[in-house]
PDB file of all heavy atoms in Angstrom:
ATOM      1  N   CYS A 313      27.443 -40.854 -15.336  1.00 93.00           N
ATOM      2  CA  CYS A 313      26.831 -41.846 -16.266  1.00 93.00           C
ATOM      3  C   CYS A 313      25.349 -42.048 -15.973  1.00 93.00           C
ATOM      4  O   CYS A 313      24.975 -42.238 -14.719  1.00 93.00           O
ATOM      5  CB  CYS A 313      27.537 -43.213 -16.152  1.00 93.00           C
ATOM      6  SG  CYS A 313      26.815 -44.521 -17.105  1.00 93.00           S
ATOM      7  N   GLN A 314      24.551 -41.947 -16.956  1.00 94.00           N
ATOM      8  CA  GLN A 314      23.039 -42.100 -16.747  1.00 94.00           C
ATOM      9  C   GLN A 314      22.587 -43.467 -17.105  1.00 94.00           C
ATOM     10  O   GLN A 314      21.332 -43.704 -17.288  1.00 94.00           O
ATOM     11  CB  GLN A 314      22.310 -41.068 -17.582  1.00 94.00           C
ATOM     12  CG  GLN A 314      22.797 -39.590 -17.354  1.00 94.00           C
ATOM     13  CD  GLN A 314      22.417 -39.122 -15.973  1.00 94.00           C
ATOM     14  OE1 GLN A 314      21.536 -39.628 -15.344  1.00 94.00           O
ATOM     15  NE2 GLN A 314      23.219 -38.113 -15.447  1.00 94.00           N
ATOM     16  N   GLY A 315      23.443 -44.441 -17.275  1.00 92.00           N
ATOM     17  CA  GLY A 315      23.137 -45.800 -17.718  1.00 92.00           C
ATOM     18  C   GLY A 315      22.278 -46.553 -16.808  1.00 92.00           C
ATOM     19  O   GLY A 315      21.640 -47.516 -17.191  1.00 92.00           O
ATOM     20  N   CYS A 316      22.267 -46.272 -15.458  1.00 92.00           N
ATOM     21  CA  CYS A 316      21.402 -46.993 -14.513  1.00 92.00           C
ATOM     22  C   CYS A 316      21.289 -46.091 -13.319  1.00 92.00           C
ATOM     23  O   CYS A 316      21.966 -45.042 -13.175  1.00 92.00           O
ATOM     24  CB  CYS A 316      22.065 -48.348 -14.178  1.00 92.00           C
ATOM     25  SG  CYS A 316      23.300 -48.373 -12.970  1.00 92.00           S
ATOM     26  N   PRO A 317      20.475 -46.483 -12.309  1.00 91.00           N
ATOM     27  CA  PRO A 317      20.246 -45.654 -11.192  1.00 91.00           C
ATOM     28  C   PRO A 317      21.585 -45.351 -10.298  1.00 91.00           C
ATOM     29  O   PRO A 317      21.522 -44.509  -9.457  1.00 91.00           O
ATOM     30  CB  PRO A 317      19.206 -46.383 -10.309  1.00 91.00           C
ATOM     31  CG  PRO A 317      18.487 -47.206 -11.329  1.00 91.00           C
ATOM     32  CD  PRO A 317      19.547 -47.692 -12.326  1.00 91.00           C
ATOM     33  N   ASN A 318      22.572 -46.052 -10.546  1.00 91.00           N
ATOM     34  CA  ASN A 318      23.867 -45.833  -9.730  1.00 91.00           C
ATOM     35  C   ASN A 318      24.390 -44.378 -10.038  1.00 91.00           C
ATOM     36  O   ASN A 318      25.047 -43.783  -9.226  1.00 91.00           O
ATOM     37  CB  ASN A 318      24.963 -46.822 -10.094  1.00 91.00           C
ATOM     38  CG  ASN A 318      24.769 -48.199  -9.412  1.00 91.00           C
ATOM     39  OD1 ASN A 318      24.167 -48.142  -8.337  1.00 91.00           O
ATOM     40  ND2 ASN A 318      25.202 -49.209  -9.993  1.00 91.00           N
ATOM     41  N   VAL A 319      24.129 -43.957 -11.281  1.00 93.00           N
ATOM     42  CA  VAL A 319      24.646 -42.576 -11.661  1.00 93.00           C
ATOM     43  C   VAL A 319      26.075 -42.370 -11.206  1.00 93.00           C
ATOM     44  O   VAL A 319      26.433 -41.528 -10.453  1.00 93.00           O
ATOM     45  CB  VAL A 319      23.744 -41.493 -11.174  1.00 93.00           C
ATOM     46  CG1 VAL A 319      24.070 -40.173 -11.977  1.00 93.00           C
ATOM     47  CG2 VAL A 319      22.272 -41.736 -11.358  1.00 93.00           C
ATOM     48  N   CYS A 320      26.973 -43.280 -11.724  1.00 91.00           N
ATOM     49  CA  CYS A 320      28.422 -43.208 -11.263  1.00 91.00           C
ATOM     50  C   CYS A 320      29.086 -41.932 -11.794  1.00 91.00           C
ATOM     51  O   CYS A 320      28.815 -41.514 -12.913  1.00 91.00           O
ATOM     52  CB  CYS A 320      29.217 -44.417 -11.880  1.00 91.00           C
ATOM     53  SG  CYS A 320      28.609 -45.969 -11.277  1.00 91.00           S
ATOM     54  N   VAL A 322      32.110 -40.811 -13.356  1.00 91.00           N
ATOM     55  CA  VAL A 322      33.240 -41.386 -14.056  1.00 91.00           C
ATOM     56  C   VAL A 322      34.350 -40.317 -14.303  1.00 91.00           C
ATOM     57  O   VAL A 322      34.043 -39.230 -14.805  1.00 91.00           O
ATOM     58  CB  VAL A 322      32.778 -41.911 -15.437  1.00 91.00           C
ATOM     59  CG1 VAL A 322      33.923 -42.637 -16.118  1.00 91.00           C
ATOM     60  CG2 VAL A 322      31.605 -42.957 -15.192  1.00 91.00           C
ATOM     61  N   GLY A 336      35.936 -45.052 -11.670  1.00 83.00           N
ATOM     62  CA  GLY A 336      34.690 -44.642 -10.985  1.00 83.00           C
ATOM     63  C   GLY A 336      33.457 -45.302 -11.479  1.00 83.00           C
ATOM     64  O   GLY A 336      32.414 -45.160 -10.850  1.00 83.00           O
ATOM     65  N   ASP A 337      33.502 -46.072 -12.564  1.00 88.00           N
ATOM     66  CA  ASP A 337      32.222 -46.723 -13.086  1.00 88.00           C
ATOM     67  C   ASP A 337      32.230 -48.110 -12.348  1.00 88.00           C
ATOM     68  O   ASP A 337      33.044 -48.938 -12.479  1.00 88.00           O
ATOM     69  CB  ASP A 337      32.358 -46.933 -14.587  1.00 88.00           C
ATOM     70  CG  ASP A 337      33.682 -47.513 -15.128  1.00 88.00           C
ATOM     71  OD1 ASP A 337      34.683 -47.476 -14.328  1.00 88.00           O
ATOM     72  OD2 ASP A 337      33.708 -48.081 -16.253  1.00 88.00           O
ATOM     73  N   LYS A 338      31.052 -48.319 -11.661  1.00 88.00           N
ATOM     74  CA  LYS A 338      30.895 -49.546 -10.864  1.00 88.00           C
ATOM     75  C   LYS A 338      30.799 -50.769 -11.711  1.00 88.00           C
ATOM     76  O   LYS A 338      31.253 -51.820 -11.319  1.00 88.00           O
ATOM     77  CB  LYS A 338      29.615 -49.437 -10.024  1.00 88.00           C
ATOM     78  CG  LYS A 338      29.722 -48.456  -8.895  1.00 88.00           C
ATOM     79  CD  LYS A 338      28.609 -48.609  -7.888  1.00 88.00           C
ATOM     80  CE  LYS A 338      28.779 -47.668  -6.672  1.00 88.00           C
ATOM     81  NZ  LYS A 338      28.415 -46.262  -6.974  1.00 88.00           N
ATOM     82  N   CYS A 339      30.332 -50.714 -12.939  1.00 89.00           N
ATOM     83  CA  CYS A 339      30.082 -51.920 -13.737  1.00 89.00           C
ATOM     84  C   CYS A 339      31.233 -52.130 -14.740  1.00 89.00           C
ATOM     85  O   CYS A 339      31.187 -53.165 -15.507  1.00 89.00           O
ATOM     86  CB  CYS A 339      28.780 -51.788 -14.461  1.00 89.00           C
ATOM     87  SG  CYS A 339      28.747 -50.550 -15.665  1.00 89.00           S
ATOM     88  N   GLY A 340      32.136 -51.144 -14.980  1.00 86.00           N
ATOM     89  CA  GLY A 340      33.210 -51.321 -15.931  1.00 86.00           C
ATOM     90  C   GLY A 340      32.838 -50.917 -17.310  1.00 86.00           C
ATOM     91  O   GLY A 340      33.634 -50.981 -18.251  1.00 86.00           O
ATOM     92  N   LYS A 341      31.515 -50.302 -17.471  1.00 87.00           N
ATOM     93  CA  LYS A 341      31.108 -49.951 -18.802  1.00 87.00           C
ATOM     94  C   LYS A 341      32.070 -49.031 -19.526  1.00 87.00           C
ATOM     95  O   LYS A 341      32.320 -49.107 -20.666  1.00 87.00           O
ATOM     96  CB  LYS A 341      29.730 -49.204 -18.630  1.00 87.00           C
ATOM     97  CG  LYS A 341      29.173 -48.605 -19.827  1.00 87.00           C
ATOM     98  CD  LYS A 341      27.826 -47.927 -19.541  1.00 87.00           C
ATOM     99  CE  LYS A 341      27.280 -47.189 -20.783  1.00 87.00           C
ATOM    100  NZ  LYS A 341      25.895 -46.681 -20.513  1.00 87.00           N
ATOM    101  N   TRP A 342      32.614 -47.989 -18.768  1.00 88.00           N
ATOM    102  CA  TRP A 342      33.446 -47.029 -19.431  1.00 88.00           C
ATOM    103  C   TRP A 342      34.918 -47.408 -19.450  1.00 88.00           C
ATOM    104  O   TRP A 342      35.725 -47.036 -20.392  1.00 88.00           O
ATOM    105  CB  TRP A 342      33.326 -45.659 -18.710  1.00 88.00           C
ATOM    106  CG  TRP A 342      31.862 -45.216 -18.794  1.00 88.00           C
ATOM    107  CD1 TRP A 342      30.821 -45.367 -17.889  1.00 88.00           C
ATOM    108  CD2 TRP A 342      31.275 -44.568 -19.995  1.00 88.00           C
ATOM    109  NE1 TRP A 342      29.693 -44.869 -18.379  1.00 88.00           N
ATOM    110  CE2 TRP A 342      29.908 -44.336 -19.667  1.00 88.00           C
ATOM    111  CE3 TRP A 342      31.750 -44.155 -21.202  1.00 88.00           C
ATOM    112  CZ2 TRP A 342      29.042 -43.737 -20.525  1.00 88.00           C
ATOM    113  CZ3 TRP A 342      30.888 -43.508 -22.085  1.00 88.00           C
ATOM    114  CH2 TRP A 342      29.596 -43.270 -21.768  1.00 88.00           C
TER     115      TRP A 342
HETATM  116  S1  SF4 B 429      28.843 -46.868 -15.054  1.00 74.47           S
HETATM  117 FE1  SF4 B 429      27.610 -48.707 -15.009  1.00 74.47          FE
HETATM  118  S2  SF4 B 429      26.883 -48.933 -12.904  1.00 74.47           S
HETATM  119 FE2  SF4 B 429      27.609 -46.830 -13.163  1.00 74.47          FE
HETATM  120  S3  SF4 B 429      25.779 -45.644 -13.805  1.00 74.47           S
HETATM  121 FE3  SF4 B 429      26.740 -46.263 -15.694  1.00 74.47          FE
HETATM  122  S4  SF4 B 429      25.767 -48.137 -16.203  1.00 74.47           S
HETATM  123 FE4  SF4 B 429      25.320 -47.798 -14.010  1.00 74.47          FE
END
Side-chain angles (χ1 to χ4, degrees):
C313 174
Q314 305 293 334
C316 82
N318 280 333
V319 194
C320 298
V322 183
D337 50 341
K338 288 194 176 76
C339 66
K341 173 178 175 176
W342 297 96

